[in-house]
Amino acid sequence: QVQLVESGGGLVQAGGSLRLSCAASGRTIGSYALAWFRQAPGKERECVSASNWSGSSTYYAESVKGRFTISRDNAKNTVYLQMNSLNAEDTAVYYCAARGGFYRTISDEYDYWGQGTQVTVSL
């Protein structure tokens, strides 16, 4: 079992930045693909970014390319999401997820989830 705990969410003005962290416990994440999903009210959960086990292969949704950066520190069992140039459309609950094997962009493909952290971007 892998337990995931997100942190770093909050309220930020449009154009600002936040860095989300996801700390894993229970097992080392070195062999897991990790992803960040988000879900806004009334919308489906979407994958915004994902990383293979080493960080050498990553995915970004078109809506966040050039603004968000995923990184991972396997020694610290932690994955990060640096979010820059935030806008109102980024407001959502952000979730960290893990799965064995290569990353996927479909939420049903992930085995482990954090509880989520709220990100609110004000105009």
Side-chain angles (χ1 to χ4, degrees), residues 75-113:
K76 294 183 177 180
N77 245 23
T78 302
V79 62
Y80 306 95
L81 186 67
Q82 178 67 43
M83 306 186 296
N84 299 328
S85 302
L86 286 161
N87 57 60
E89 287 69 40
D90 296 317
T91 295
V93 178
Y94 284 72
Y95 298 90
C96 175
R99 71 183 304 274
F102 204 73
Y103 68 73
R104 296 288 186 267
T105 60
I106 305 299
S107 59
D108 288 348
E109 300 276 4
Y110 284 80
D111 302 308
Y112 305 104
W113 290 86

PDB file of all heavy atoms in Angstrom, residues 75-113:
ATOM      1  N   ALA A  75      14.352   9.941  -3.451  1.00  0.00           N
ATOM      2  CA  ALA A  75      15.033   9.764  -2.156  1.00  0.00           C
ATOM      3  C   ALA A  75      14.173  10.298  -1.012  1.00  0.00           C
ATOM      4  O   ALA A  75      14.226   9.784   0.107  1.00  0.00           O
ATOM      5  CB  ALA A  75      16.378  10.463  -2.173  1.00  0.00           C
ATOM      6  N   LYS A  76      13.387  11.316  -1.304  1.00  0.00           N
ATOM      7  CA  LYS A  76      12.496  11.894  -0.299  1.00  0.00           C
ATOM      8  C   LYS A  76      11.077  11.357  -0.415  1.00  0.00           C
ATOM      9  O   LYS A  76      10.185  11.779   0.325  1.00  0.00           O
ATOM     10  CB  LYS A  76      12.471  13.418  -0.423  1.00  0.00           C
ATOM     11  CG  LYS A  76      13.784  14.088  -0.098  1.00  0.00           C
ATOM     12  CD  LYS A  76      13.662  15.604  -0.167  1.00  0.00           C
ATOM     13  CE  LYS A  76      14.968  16.274   0.221  1.00  0.00           C
ATOM     14  NZ  LYS A  76      14.876  17.757   0.164  1.00  0.00           N
ATOM     15  N   ASN A  77      10.873  10.456  -1.377  1.00  0.00           N
ATOM     16  CA  ASN A  77       9.543   9.877  -1.584  1.00  0.00           C
ATOM     17  C   ASN A  77       8.490  10.957  -1.817  1.00  0.00           C
ATOM     18  O   ASN A  77       7.373  10.878  -1.294  1.00  0.00           O
ATOM     19  CB  ASN A  77       9.130   9.004  -0.390  1.00  0.00           C
ATOM     20  CG  ASN A  77       8.989   7.547  -0.782  1.00  0.00           C
ATOM     21  OD1 ASN A  77       9.569   7.095  -1.763  1.00  0.00           O
ATOM     22  ND2 ASN A  77       8.214   6.812  -0.011  1.00  0.00           N
ATOM     23  N   THR A  78       8.848  11.938  -2.617  1.00  0.00           N
ATOM     24  CA  THR A  78       7.975  13.092  -2.809  1.00  0.00           C
ATOM     25  C   THR A  78       7.933  13.489  -4.286  1.00  0.00           C
ATOM     26  O   THR A  78       8.949  13.424  -4.979  1.00  0.00           O
ATOM     27  CB  THR A  78       8.475  14.288  -1.976  1.00  0.00           C
ATOM     28  OG1 THR A  78       8.516  13.905  -0.592  1.00  0.00           O
ATOM     29  CG2 THR A  78       7.545  15.487  -2.117  1.00  0.00           C
ATOM     30  N   VAL A  79       6.749  13.916  -4.717  1.00  0.00           N
ATOM     31  CA  VAL A  79       6.581  14.474  -6.054  1.00  0.00           C
ATOM     32  C   VAL A  79       6.027  15.881  -5.906  1.00  0.00           C
ATOM     33  O   VAL A  79       5.289  16.174  -4.958  1.00  0.00           O
ATOM     34  CB  VAL A  79       5.652  13.597  -6.924  1.00  0.00           C
ATOM     35  CG1 VAL A  79       4.253  13.510  -6.334  1.00  0.00           C
ATOM     36  CG2 VAL A  79       5.604  14.096  -8.353  1.00  0.00           C
ATOM     37  N   TYR A  80       6.418  16.742  -6.818  1.00  0.00           N
ATOM     38  CA  TYR A  80       6.045  18.150  -6.745  1.00  0.00           C
ATOM     39  C   TYR A  80       5.341  18.583  -8.026  1.00  0.00           C
ATOM     40  O   TYR A  80       5.527  18.005  -9.091  1.00  0.00           O
ATOM     41  CB  TYR A  80       7.290  19.020  -6.558  1.00  0.00           C
ATOM     42  CG  TYR A  80       8.151  18.632  -5.391  1.00  0.00           C
ATOM     43  CD1 TYR A  80       9.253  17.793  -5.570  1.00  0.00           C
ATOM     44  CD2 TYR A  80       7.866  19.096  -4.109  1.00  0.00           C
ATOM     45  CE1 TYR A  80      10.048  17.431  -4.498  1.00  0.00           C
ATOM     46  CE2 TYR A  80       8.665  18.738  -3.037  1.00  0.00           C
ATOM     47  CZ  TYR A  80       9.752  17.905  -3.241  1.00  0.00           C
ATOM     48  OH  TYR A  80      10.534  17.545  -2.173  1.00  0.00           O
ATOM     49  N   LEU A  81       4.563  19.629  -7.894  1.00  0.00           N
ATOM     50  CA  LEU A  81       3.986  20.287  -9.065  1.00  0.00           C
ATOM     51  C   LEU A  81       4.172  21.781  -8.884  1.00  0.00           C
ATOM     52  O   LEU A  81       3.517  22.395  -8.040  1.00  0.00           O
ATOM     53  CB  LEU A  81       2.511  19.954  -9.233  1.00  0.00           C
ATOM     54  CG  LEU A  81       1.871  20.493 -10.525  1.00  0.00           C
ATOM     55  CD1 LEU A  81       2.457  19.786 -11.745  1.00  0.00           C
ATOM     56  CD2 LEU A  81       0.355  20.338 -10.498  1.00  0.00           C
ATOM     57  N   GLN A  82       5.088  22.347  -9.653  1.00  0.00           N
ATOM     58  CA  GLN A  82       5.291  23.790  -9.651  1.00  0.00           C
ATOM     59  C   GLN A  82       4.319  24.411 -10.639  1.00  0.00           C
ATOM     60  O   GLN A  82       4.305  24.033 -11.810  1.00  0.00           O
ATOM     61  CB  GLN A  82       6.728  24.135 -10.052  1.00  0.00           C
ATOM     62  CG  GLN A  82       7.017  25.618 -10.131  1.00  0.00           C
ATOM     63  CD  GLN A  82       6.964  26.301  -8.784  1.00  0.00           C
ATOM     64  OE1 GLN A  82       7.465  25.784  -7.799  1.00  0.00           O
ATOM     65  NE2 GLN A  82       6.330  27.471  -8.729  1.00  0.00           N
ATOM     66  N   MET A  83       3.512  25.328 -10.157  1.00  0.00           N
ATOM     67  CA  MET A  83       2.483  25.950 -10.982  1.00  0.00           C
ATOM     68  C   MET A  83       2.727  27.446 -11.049  1.00  0.00           C
ATOM     69  O   MET A  83       2.708  28.137 -10.035  1.00  0.00           O
ATOM     70  CB  MET A  83       1.094  25.677 -10.386  1.00  0.00           C
ATOM     71  CG  MET A  83       0.804  24.210 -10.157  1.00  0.00           C
ATOM     72  SD  MET A  83      -0.885  23.888  -9.614  1.00  0.00           S
ATOM     73  CE  MET A  83      -0.904  24.724  -8.044  1.00  0.00           C
ATOM     74  N   ASN A  84       2.983  27.925 -12.254  1.00  0.00           N
ATOM     75  CA  ASN A  84       3.238  29.340 -12.487  1.00  0.00           C
ATOM     76  C   ASN A  84       2.156  29.947 -13.366  1.00  0.00           C
ATOM     77  O   ASN A  84       1.406  29.220 -14.027  1.00  0.00           O
ATOM     78  CB  ASN A  84       4.605  29.526 -13.145  1.00  0.00           C
ATOM     79  CG  ASN A  84       5.749  29.018 -12.305  1.00  0.00           C
ATOM     80  OD1 ASN A  84       5.695  29.052 -11.067  1.00  0.00           O
ATOM     81  ND2 ASN A  84       6.790  28.535 -12.958  1.00  0.00           N
ATOM     82  N   SER A  85       2.097  31.246 -13.383  1.00  0.00           N
ATOM     83  CA  SER A  85       1.132  31.981 -14.223  1.00  0.00           C
ATOM     84  C   SER A  85      -0.275  31.429 -14.065  1.00  0.00           C
ATOM     85  O   SER A  85      -0.982  31.161 -15.040  1.00  0.00           O
ATOM     86  CB  SER A  85       1.558  31.924 -15.693  1.00  0.00           C
ATOM     87  OG  SER A  85       2.848  32.462 -15.868  1.00  0.00           O
ATOM     88  N   LEU A  86      -0.673  31.264 -12.829  1.00  0.00           N
ATOM     89  CA  LEU A  86      -1.986  30.666 -12.552  1.00  0.00           C
ATOM     90  C   LEU A  86      -3.109  31.588 -13.001  1.00  0.00           C
ATOM     91  O   LEU A  86      -2.989  32.825 -12.944  1.00  0.00           O
ATOM     92  CB  LEU A  86      -2.105  30.362 -11.064  1.00  0.00           C
ATOM     93  CG  LEU A  86      -1.274  29.150 -10.603  1.00  0.00           C
ATOM     94  CD1 LEU A  86      -1.069  29.186  -9.092  1.00  0.00           C
ATOM     95  CD2 LEU A  86      -1.949  27.861 -11.020  1.00  0.00           C
ATOM     96  N   ASN A  87      -4.178  30.975 -13.460  1.00  0.00           N
ATOM     97  CA  ASN A  87      -5.367  31.725 -13.849  1.00  0.00           C
ATOM     98  C   ASN A  87      -6.604  31.080 -13.229  1.00  0.00           C
ATOM     99  O   ASN A  87      -6.515  29.997 -12.629  1.00  0.00           O
ATOM    100  CB  ASN A  87      -5.479  31.821 -15.368  1.00  0.00           C
ATOM    101  CG  ASN A  87      -5.500  30.464 -16.032  1.00  0.00           C
ATOM    102  OD1 ASN A  87      -6.386  29.651 -15.766  1.00  0.00           O
ATOM    103  ND2 ASN A  87      -4.537  30.208 -16.916  1.00  0.00           N
ATOM    104  N   ALA A  88      -7.727  31.716 -13.391  1.00  0.00           N
ATOM    105  CA  ALA A  88      -8.947  31.265 -12.722  1.00  0.00           C
ATOM    106  C   ALA A  88      -9.332  29.848 -13.136  1.00  0.00           C
ATOM    107  O   ALA A  88      -9.919  29.103 -12.338  1.00  0.00           O
ATOM    108  CB  ALA A  88     -10.085  32.236 -13.011  1.00  0.00           C
ATOM    109  N   GLU A  89      -8.986  29.464 -14.363  1.00  0.00           N
ATOM    110  CA  GLU A  89      -9.335  28.124 -14.850  1.00  0.00           C
ATOM    111  C   GLU A  89      -8.530  27.024 -14.149  1.00  0.00           C
ATOM    112  O   GLU A  89      -8.837  25.845 -14.292  1.00  0.00           O
ATOM    113  CB  GLU A  89      -9.118  28.023 -16.358  1.00  0.00           C
ATOM    114  CG  GLU A  89     -10.146  28.779 -17.203  1.00  0.00           C
ATOM    115  CD  GLU A  89     -10.015  30.279 -17.064  1.00  0.00           C
ATOM    116  OE1 GLU A  89      -8.863  30.773 -17.012  1.00  0.00           O
ATOM    117  OE2 GLU A  89     -11.061  30.969 -16.987  1.00  0.00           O
ATOM    118  N   ASP A  90      -7.507  27.410 -13.416  1.00  0.00           N
ATOM    119  CA  ASP A  90      -6.718  26.428 -12.670  1.00  0.00           C
ATOM    120  C   ASP A  90      -7.330  26.123 -11.312  1.00  0.00           C
ATOM    121  O   ASP A  90      -6.840  25.238 -10.602  1.00  0.00           O
ATOM    122  CB  ASP A  90      -5.290  26.943 -12.473  1.00  0.00           C
ATOM    123  CG  ASP A  90      -4.549  27.105 -13.789  1.00  0.00           C
ATOM    124  OD1 ASP A  90      -4.658  26.208 -14.651  1.00  0.00           O
ATOM    125  OD2 ASP A  90      -3.854  28.133 -13.954  1.00  0.00           O
ATOM    126  N   THR A  91      -8.367  26.831 -10.943  1.00  0.00           N
ATOM    127  CA  THR A  91      -9.021  26.581  -9.656  1.00  0.00           C
ATOM    128  C   THR A  91      -9.639  25.191  -9.645  1.00  0.00           C
ATOM    129  O   THR A  91     -10.441  24.847 -10.517  1.00  0.00           O
ATOM    130  CB  THR A  91     -10.109  27.642  -9.399  1.00  0.00           C
ATOM    131  OG1 THR A  91      -9.488  28.926  -9.264  1.00  0.00           O
ATOM    132  CG2 THR A  91     -10.894  27.317  -8.140  1.00  0.00           C
ATOM    133  N   ALA A  92      -9.241  24.392  -8.667  1.00  0.00           N
ATOM    134  CA  ALA A  92      -9.702  23.006  -8.585  1.00  0.00           C
ATOM    135  C   ALA A  92      -9.119  22.363  -7.341  1.00  0.00           C
ATOM    136  O   ALA A  92      -8.248  22.941  -6.674  1.00  0.00           O
ATOM    137  CB  ALA A  92      -9.256  22.218  -9.827  1.00  0.00           C
ATOM    138  N   VAL A  93      -9.590  21.162  -7.052  1.00  0.00           N
ATOM    139  CA  VAL A  93      -8.915  20.315  -6.078  1.00  0.00           C
ATOM    140  C   VAL A  93      -7.882  19.499  -6.843  1.00  0.00           C
ATOM    141  O   VAL A  93      -8.201  18.880  -7.852  1.00  0.00           O
ATOM    142  CB  VAL A  93      -9.895  19.390  -5.344  1.00  0.00           C
ATOM    143  CG1 VAL A  93      -9.145  18.488  -4.376  1.00  0.00           C
ATOM    144  CG2 VAL A  93     -10.943  20.206  -4.597  1.00  0.00           C
ATOM    145  N   TYR A  94      -6.669  19.523  -6.348  1.00  0.00           N
ATOM    146  CA  TYR A  94      -5.574  18.818  -6.997  1.00  0.00           C
ATOM    147  C   TYR A  94      -5.248  17.550  -6.221  1.00  0.00           C
ATOM    148  O   TYR A  94      -5.088  17.576  -4.998  1.00  0.00           O
ATOM    149  CB  TYR A  94      -4.342  19.720  -7.090  1.00  0.00           C
ATOM    150  CG  TYR A  94      -4.470  20.752  -8.176  1.00  0.00           C
ATOM    151  CD1 TYR A  94      -5.347  21.829  -8.033  1.00  0.00           C
ATOM    152  CD2 TYR A  94      -3.732  20.651  -9.355  1.00  0.00           C
ATOM    153  CE1 TYR A  94      -5.486  22.773  -9.041  1.00  0.00           C
ATOM    154  CE2 TYR A  94      -3.862  21.599 -10.362  1.00  0.00           C
ATOM    155  CZ  TYR A  94      -4.743  22.647 -10.199  1.00  0.00           C
ATOM    156  OH  TYR A  94      -4.868  23.586 -11.203  1.00  0.00           O
ATOM    157  N   TYR A  95      -5.135  16.465  -6.976  1.00  0.00           N
ATOM    158  CA  TYR A  95      -4.879  15.160  -6.380  1.00  0.00           C
ATOM    159  C   TYR A  95      -3.574  14.576  -6.908  1.00  0.00           C
ATOM    160  O   TYR A  95      -3.275  14.673  -8.101  1.00  0.00           O
ATOM    161  CB  TYR A  95      -5.996  14.176  -6.716  1.00  0.00           C
ATOM    162  CG  TYR A  95      -7.360  14.561  -6.209  1.00  0.00           C
ATOM    163  CD1 TYR A  95      -8.222  15.333  -6.981  1.00  0.00           C
ATOM    164  CD2 TYR A  95      -7.803  14.128  -4.966  1.00  0.00           C
ATOM    165  CE1 TYR A  95      -9.474  15.677  -6.532  1.00  0.00           C
ATOM    166  CE2 TYR A  95      -9.060  14.463  -4.500  1.00  0.00           C
ATOM    167  CZ  TYR A  95      -9.894  15.242  -5.286  1.00  0.00           C
ATOM    168  OH  TYR A  95     -11.143  15.577  -4.828  1.00  0.00           O
ATOM    169  N   CYS A  96      -2.885  13.903  -6.042  1.00  0.00           N
ATOM    170  CA  CYS A  96      -1.707  13.137  -6.400  1.00  0.00           C
ATOM    171  C   CYS A  96      -2.138  11.672  -6.539  1.00  0.00           C
ATOM    172  O   CYS A  96      -2.975  11.197  -5.752  1.00  0.00           O
ATOM    173  CB  CYS A  96      -0.655  13.292  -5.300  1.00  0.00           C
ATOM    174  SG  CYS A  96       0.816  12.311  -5.483  1.00  0.00           S
ATOM    175  N   ALA A  97      -1.566  10.964  -7.519  1.00  0.00           N
ATOM    176  CA  ALA A  97      -1.923   9.575  -7.733  1.00  0.00           C
ATOM    177  C   ALA A  97      -0.692   8.769  -8.128  1.00  0.00           C
ATOM    178  O   ALA A  97       0.250   9.317  -8.714  1.00  0.00           O
ATOM    179  CB  ALA A  97      -2.989   9.464  -8.817  1.00  0.00           C
ATOM    180  N   ALA A  98      -0.722   7.473  -7.821  1.00  0.00           N
ATOM    181  CA  ALA A  98       0.407   6.600  -8.133  1.00  0.00           C
ATOM    182  C   ALA A  98      -0.086   5.290  -8.722  1.00  0.00           C
ATOM    183  O   ALA A  98      -1.169   4.807  -8.389  1.00  0.00           O
ATOM    184  CB  ALA A  98       1.228   6.326  -6.867  1.00  0.00           C
ATOM    185  N   ARG A  99       0.728   4.736  -9.598  1.00  0.00           N
ATOM    186  CA  ARG A  99       0.439   3.427 -10.173  1.00  0.00           C
ATOM    187  C   ARG A  99       1.752   2.741 -10.510  1.00  0.00           C
ATOM    188  O   ARG A  99       2.776   3.401 -10.747  1.00  0.00           O
ATOM    189  CB  ARG A  99      -0.405   3.547 -11.448  1.00  0.00           C
ATOM    190  CG  ARG A  99       0.328   4.115 -12.638  1.00  0.00           C
ATOM    191  CD  ARG A  99      -0.605   4.264 -13.854  1.00  0.00           C
ATOM    192  NE  ARG A  99      -1.250   3.038 -14.247  1.00  0.00           N
ATOM    193  CZ  ARG A  99      -0.716   2.122 -15.060  1.00  0.00           C
ATOM    194  NH1 ARG A  99       0.491   2.323 -15.559  1.00  0.00           N
ATOM    195  NH2 ARG A  99      -1.382   1.023 -15.385  1.00  0.00           N
ATOM    196  N   GLY A 100       1.749   1.445 -10.532  1.00  0.00           N
ATOM    197  CA  GLY A 100       2.917   0.704 -10.992  1.00  0.00           C
ATOM    198  C   GLY A 100       2.999   0.784 -12.496  1.00  0.00           C
ATOM    199  O   GLY A 100       1.990   0.970 -13.180  1.00  0.00           O
ATOM    200  N   GLY A 101       4.205   0.653 -13.041  1.00  0.00           N
ATOM    201  CA  GLY A 101       4.366   0.694 -14.482  1.00  0.00           C
ATOM    202  C   GLY A 101       4.459   2.103 -15.016  1.00  0.00           C
ATOM    203  O   GLY A 101       4.766   3.049 -14.292  1.00  0.00           O
ATOM    204  N   PHE A 102       4.174   2.273 -16.293  1.00  0.00           N
ATOM    205  CA  PHE A 102       4.292   3.576 -16.936  1.00  0.00           C
ATOM    206  C   PHE A 102       3.093   4.446 -16.589  1.00  0.00           C
ATOM    207  O   PHE A 102       2.047   3.954 -16.185  1.00  0.00           O
ATOM    208  CB  PHE A 102       4.397   3.407 -18.454  1.00  0.00           C
ATOM    209  CG  PHE A 102       5.073   4.557 -19.136  1.00  0.00           C
ATOM    210  CD1 PHE A 102       6.432   4.750 -19.019  1.00  0.00           C
ATOM    211  CD2 PHE A 102       4.348   5.475 -19.874  1.00  0.00           C
ATOM    212  CE1 PHE A 102       7.070   5.819 -19.638  1.00  0.00           C
ATOM    213  CE2 PHE A 102       4.958   6.547 -20.495  1.00  0.00           C
ATOM    214  CZ  PHE A 102       6.340   6.720 -20.383  1.00  0.00           C
ATOM    215  N   TYR A 103       3.273   5.750 -16.755  1.00  0.00           N
ATOM    216  CA  TYR A 103       2.164   6.626 -16.410  1.00  0.00           C
ATOM    217  C   TYR A 103       1.033   6.521 -17.426  1.00  0.00           C
ATOM    218  O   TYR A 103       1.223   6.136 -18.568  1.00  0.00           O
ATOM    219  CB  TYR A 103       2.624   8.079 -16.267  1.00  0.00           C
ATOM    220  CG  TYR A 103       3.086   8.778 -17.539  1.00  0.00           C
ATOM    221  CD1 TYR A 103       2.177   9.180 -18.514  1.00  0.00           C
ATOM    222  CD2 TYR A 103       4.428   9.063 -17.747  1.00  0.00           C
ATOM    223  CE1 TYR A 103       2.585   9.821 -19.661  1.00  0.00           C
ATOM    224  CE2 TYR A 103       4.857   9.708 -18.887  1.00  0.00           C
ATOM    225  CZ  TYR A 103       3.935  10.082 -19.856  1.00  0.00           C
ATOM    226  OH  TYR A 103       4.347  10.723 -20.988  1.00  0.00           O
ATOM    227  N   ARG A 104      -0.151   6.836 -16.943  1.00  0.00           N
ATOM    228  CA  ARG A 104      -1.356   6.916 -17.763  1.00  0.00           C
ATOM    229  C   ARG A 104      -2.016   8.251 -17.468  1.00  0.00           C
ATOM    230  O   ARG A 104      -1.705   8.914 -16.487  1.00  0.00           O
ATOM    231  CB  ARG A 104      -2.315   5.773 -17.436  1.00  0.00           C
ATOM    232  CG  ARG A 104      -1.778   4.385 -17.762  1.00  0.00           C
ATOM    233  CD  ARG A 104      -1.737   4.136 -19.247  1.00  0.00           C
ATOM    234  NE  ARG A 104      -1.348   2.762 -19.545  1.00  0.00           N
ATOM    235  CZ  ARG A 104      -0.088   2.388 -19.765  1.00  0.00           C
ATOM    236  NH1 ARG A 104       0.882   3.270 -19.715  1.00  0.00           N
ATOM    237  NH2 ARG A 104       0.171   1.128 -20.024  1.00  0.00           N
ATOM    238  N   THR A 105      -2.945   8.642 -18.315  1.00  0.00           N
ATOM    239  CA  THR A 105      -3.640   9.912 -18.103  1.00  0.00           C
ATOM    240  C   THR A 105      -5.095   9.717 -17.716  1.00  0.00           C
ATOM    241  O   THR A 105      -5.841  10.693 -17.610  1.00  0.00           O
ATOM    242  CB  THR A 105      -3.558  10.798 -19.360  1.00  0.00           C
ATOM    243  OG1 THR A 105      -4.169  10.109 -20.456  1.00  0.00           O
ATOM    244  CG2 THR A 105      -2.110  11.113 -19.701  1.00  0.00           C
ATOM    245  N   ILE A 106      -5.503   8.475 -17.513  1.00  0.00           N
ATOM    246  CA  ILE A 106      -6.884   8.164 -17.127  1.00  0.00           C
ATOM    247  C   ILE A 106      -6.899   7.853 -15.646  1.00  0.00           C
ATOM    248  O   ILE A 106      -6.133   7.015 -15.164  1.00  0.00           O
ATOM    249  CB  ILE A 106      -7.428   6.966 -17.919  1.00  0.00           C
ATOM    250  CG1 ILE A 106      -7.285   7.215 -19.417  1.00  0.00           C
ATOM    251  CG2 ILE A 106      -8.871   6.693 -17.532  1.00  0.00           C
ATOM    252  CD1 ILE A 106      -8.043   8.413 -19.919  1.00  0.00           C
ATOM    253  N   SER A 107      -7.794   8.480 -14.920  1.00  0.00           N
ATOM    254  CA  SER A 107      -7.799   8.327 -13.461  1.00  0.00           C
ATOM    255  C   SER A 107      -8.050   6.889 -13.023  1.00  0.00           C
ATOM    256  O   SER A 107      -7.484   6.443 -12.019  1.00  0.00           O
ATOM    257  CB  SER A 107      -8.841   9.260 -12.840  1.00  0.00           C
ATOM    258  OG  SER A 107     -10.140   8.988 -13.323  1.00  0.00           O
ATOM    259  N   ASP A 108      -8.860   6.150 -13.767  1.00  0.00           N
ATOM    260  CA  ASP A 108      -9.161   4.772 -13.380  1.00  0.00           C
ATOM    261  C   ASP A 108      -7.927   3.869 -13.411  1.00  0.00           C
ATOM    262  O   ASP A 108      -7.944   2.778 -12.849  1.00  0.00           O
ATOM    263  CB  ASP A 108     -10.235   4.178 -14.294  1.00  0.00           C
ATOM    264  CG  ASP A 108     -11.608   4.760 -14.027  1.00  0.00           C
ATOM    265  OD1 ASP A 108     -11.754   5.444 -12.996  1.00  0.00           O
ATOM    266  OD2 ASP A 108     -12.516   4.537 -14.838  1.00  0.00           O
ATOM    267  N   GLU A 109      -6.875   4.310 -14.084  1.00  0.00           N
ATOM    268  CA  GLU A 109      -5.664   3.507 -14.197  1.00  0.00           C
ATOM    269  C   GLU A 109      -4.769   3.621 -12.954  1.00  0.00           C
ATOM    270  O   GLU A 109      -3.764   2.925 -12.874  1.00  0.00           O
ATOM    271  CB  GLU A 109      -4.866   3.968 -15.419  1.00  0.00           C
ATOM    272  CG  GLU A 109      -5.621   3.837 -16.732  1.00  0.00           C
ATOM    273  CD  GLU A 109      -5.537   2.456 -17.335  1.00  0.00           C
ATOM    274  OE1 GLU A 109      -4.954   1.565 -16.701  1.00  0.00           O
ATOM    275  OE2 GLU A 109      -6.062   2.278 -18.447  1.00  0.00           O
ATOM    276  N   TYR A 110      -5.126   4.486 -12.027  1.00  0.00           N
ATOM    277  CA  TYR A 110      -4.278   4.707 -10.860  1.00  0.00           C
ATOM    278  C   TYR A 110      -4.824   3.977  -9.639  1.00  0.00           C
ATOM    279  O   TYR A 110      -6.031   3.930  -9.413  1.00  0.00           O
ATOM    280  CB  TYR A 110      -4.135   6.208 -10.582  1.00  0.00           C
ATOM    281  CG  TYR A 110      -3.173   6.842 -11.557  1.00  0.00           C
ATOM    282  CD1 TYR A 110      -3.585   7.175 -12.848  1.00  0.00           C
ATOM    283  CD2 TYR A 110      -1.841   7.041 -11.218  1.00  0.00           C
ATOM    284  CE1 TYR A 110      -2.689   7.701 -13.766  1.00  0.00           C
ATOM    285  CE2 TYR A 110      -0.945   7.579 -12.129  1.00  0.00           C
ATOM    286  CZ  TYR A 110      -1.376   7.900 -13.402  1.00  0.00           C
ATOM    287  OH  TYR A 110      -0.483   8.419 -14.315  1.00  0.00           O
ATOM    288  N   ASP A 111      -3.893   3.439  -8.886  1.00  0.00           N
ATOM    289  CA  ASP A 111      -4.249   2.596  -7.748  1.00  0.00           C
ATOM    290  C   ASP A 111      -4.331   3.350  -6.434  1.00  0.00           C
ATOM    291  O   ASP A 111      -5.066   2.953  -5.529  1.00  0.00           O
ATOM    292  CB  ASP A 111      -3.215   1.462  -7.611  1.00  0.00           C
ATOM    293  CG  ASP A 111      -3.121   0.623  -8.865  1.00  0.00           C
ATOM    294  OD1 ASP A 111      -4.166   0.150  -9.338  1.00  0.00           O
ATOM    295  OD2 ASP A 111      -1.985   0.452  -9.367  1.00  0.00           O
ATOM    296  N   TYR A 112      -3.520   4.383  -6.306  1.00  0.00           N
ATOM    297  CA  TYR A 112      -3.396   5.080  -5.034  1.00  0.00           C
ATOM    298  C   TYR A 112      -3.639   6.567  -5.238  1.00  0.00           C
ATOM    299  O   TYR A 112      -3.160   7.153  -6.204  1.00  0.00           O
ATOM    300  CB  TYR A 112      -2.001   4.856  -4.433  1.00  0.00           C
ATOM    301  CG  TYR A 112      -1.650   3.402  -4.297  1.00  0.00           C
ATOM    302  CD1 TYR A 112      -0.768   2.800  -5.182  1.00  0.00           C
ATOM    303  CD2 TYR A 112      -2.219   2.624  -3.288  1.00  0.00           C
ATOM    304  CE1 TYR A 112      -0.459   1.459  -5.069  1.00  0.00           C
ATOM    305  CE2 TYR A 112      -1.917   1.281  -3.172  1.00  0.00           C
ATOM    306  CZ  TYR A 112      -1.037   0.704  -4.061  1.00  0.00           C
ATOM    307  OH  TYR A 112      -0.733  -0.630  -3.944  1.00  0.00           O
ATOM    308  N   TRP A 113      -4.351   7.145  -4.278  1.00  0.00           N
ATOM    309  CA  TRP A 113      -4.734   8.554  -4.359  1.00  0.00           C
ATOM    310  C   TRP A 113      -4.541   9.254  -3.028  1.00  0.00           C
ATOM    311  O   TRP A 113      -4.737   8.660  -1.963  1.00  0.00           O
ATOM    312  CB  TRP A 113      -6.211   8.665  -4.745  1.00  0.00           C
ATOM    313  CG  TRP A 113      -6.483   8.254  -6.145  1.00  0.00           C
ATOM    314  CD1 TRP A 113      -6.720   6.991  -6.600  1.00  0.00           C
ATOM    315  CD2 TRP A 113      -6.519   9.107  -7.291  1.00  0.00           C
ATOM    316  NE1 TRP A 113      -6.908   7.006  -7.965  1.00  0.00           N
ATOM    317  CE2 TRP A 113      -6.782   8.294  -8.412  1.00  0.00           C
ATOM    318  CE3 TRP A 113      -6.343  10.474  -7.488  1.00  0.00           C
ATOM    319  CZ2 TRP A 113      -6.890   8.809  -9.703  1.00  0.00           C
ATOM    320  CZ3 TRP A 113      -6.452  10.984  -8.768  1.00  0.00           C
ATOM    321  CH2 TRP A 113      -6.723  10.154  -9.858  1.00  0.00           C
TER     322      TRP A 113
END
